[in-house]
């Protein structure tokens, strides 16, 4: 089986991830490079490991997490679908089993709000891992006076944590927000569709999704 660690050492894939992030930086988007994709890979693995999924599924979730934003190399629009096609070609050329290629491509093609649907556990874990990565360090704009709403919301998040409870019935996204930079309403303005998708993803894993901001449960 092609492993997550093998992908991380693949220079072509590293180049594509870096170039995809360069395009997003030019468009003024938050960081989507190695810090983000590795975080998403590890969080997707945490979700499935905690819920007792097989090690094979955990590894596929990590691979999907690492490759999920590669489609931004083509265009931000429909990047989940173009990324799925890129991953399909890359993984097939590396000799991955066709069933595993299909699972990873499906997860990547369904990870973004608007078109994404948590059709299997790997896609559900990827959605939750991706949409929960909100943090100050993703903001690249050094001039706070020119922050747009995405900058304000991400910069306002001083701490974030995605945790599954001991009974494996609830998954909580807990955020500590500095409202000096962004309000809770700002968060909902840009992230409501993402949170709805997280709720659906959690349900696919037989979990209840809860959003807690500054110790107040909002979903």
């Amino acid at each position: 089986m092609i492993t997550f660690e093998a992908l991380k050492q693949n220079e072509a894939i590293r180049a594509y991830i870096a170039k995809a992030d360069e395009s997003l930086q030019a468009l003024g988007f938050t960081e989507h490079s190695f810090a983000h994709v590795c975080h998403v890979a590890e969080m997707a693995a945490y979700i499935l490991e905690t819920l007792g999924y097989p090690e094979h599924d955990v590894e596929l979730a990590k691979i999907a997490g690492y490759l999920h934003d590669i489609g931004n190399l083509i265009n931000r629009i429909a990047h989940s679908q173009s990324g799925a096609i890129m991953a399909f070609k890359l993984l097939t050329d590396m000799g991955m089993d066709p069933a595993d290629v299909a699972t990873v491509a499906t997860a990547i093609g369904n990870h973004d709000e608007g078109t994404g649907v948590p059709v299997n556990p790997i896609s559900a874990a990827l959605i939750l891992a991706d949409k929960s990565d909100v943090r100050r360090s993703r903001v690249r704009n050094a001039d706070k006076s020119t922050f747009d709403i995405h900058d304000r919301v991400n910069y306002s998040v001083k701490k974030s944590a995605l945790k599954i409870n001991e009974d494996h019935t609830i998954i909580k996204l807990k955020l500590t927000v500095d409202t000096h930079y962004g309000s809770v309403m700002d968060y909902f303005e840009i992230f409501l569709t993402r949170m709805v998708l997280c709720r659906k993803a959690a349900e696919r894993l037989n979990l209840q999704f809860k959003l807690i901001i500054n110790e107040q449960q909002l979903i």
Side-chain angles (χ1 to χ4, degrees):
M1 176 183 169
I2 304 301
T3 66
F4 172 59
E5 290 302 322
L7 283 189
K8 286 173 69 178
Q9 303 304 318
N10 186 294
E11 290 301 323
I13 291 174
R14 290 184 63 84
Y16 300 151
I17 291 171
K19 287 295 183 181
D21 185 54
E22 281 183 22
S23 294
L24 292 183
Q25 184 170 11
L27 292 169
F29 280 85
T30 51
E31 179 266 325
H32 284 71
S33 191
F34 298 102
H36 172 62
V37 299
C38 288
H39 174 84
V40 171
E42 296 299 340
M43 287 308 302
Y46 156 75
I47 292 167
L48 294 187
E49 279 179 345
T50 302
L51 296 177
Y53 280 83
E55 187 176 331
H56 186 77
D57 288 352
V58 172
E59 193 71 10
L60 292 180
K62 291 171 80 170
I63 289 170
Y66 189 68
L67 296 176
H68 80 281
D69 270 339
I70 204 168
N72 287 299
L73 179 69
I74 308 300
N75 197 290
R76 178 63 181 172
I77 304 300
H79 76 279
S80 54
Q81 286 85 357
S82 56
I85 294 167
M86 288 180 68
F88 183 94
K89 177 71 164 62
L90 289 164
L91 295 174
T92 298
D93 288 351
M94 293 175 72
M96 180 180 269
D97 178 79
D100 290 343
V101 173
T103 299
V104 172
T106 296
I108 294 172
N110 279 283
H111 84 269
D112 207 38
E113 65 271 17
T115 57
V117 180
V119 294
N120 58 39
I122 283 85
S123 66
L126 175 58
I127 287 166
L128 286 161
D130 180 37
K131 304 312 172 193
S132 65
D133 189 19
V134 188
R135 51 186 162 81
R136 179 170 291 188
S137 57
R138 292 190 71 186
V139 178
R140 293 189 275 212
N141 183 357
D143 184 357
K144 297 184 183 67
S145 67
T146 62
F147 275 5
D148 65 10
I149 188 170
H150 289 83
D151 291 333
R152 290 201 307 273
V153 167
N154 278 279
Y155 196 83
S156 71
V157 178
K158 296 164 60 179
K159 185 178 179 182
S160 65
L162 186 68
K163 293 290 182 184
I164 296 172
N165 68 343
E166 288 187 8
D167 293 334
H168 298 171
T169 57
I170 296 169
I171 186 166
K172 293 181 182 179
L173 175 57
K174 296 185 70 173
L175 304 176
T176 302
V177 173
D178 182 347
T179 55
H180 175 74
Y181 294 104
S183 68
V184 173
M185 185 59 72
D186 283 341
Y187 183 90
F188 273 100
E189 183 178 338
I190 64 171
F191 284 157
L192 182 58
T193 55
R194 300 183 193 187
M195 296 300 98
V196 170
L197 186 56
C198 281
R199 187 193 71 205
K200 293 177 180 177
E203 289 170 354
R204 183 64 181 77
L205 296 168
N206 296 314
L207 296 169
Q208 185 178 6
F209 178 72
K210 293 186 182 296
L211 173 65
I212 299 168
I213 300 180
N214 293 348
E215 301 302 327
Q216 298 293 314
Q217 181 178 316
L218 300 174
I219 295 177

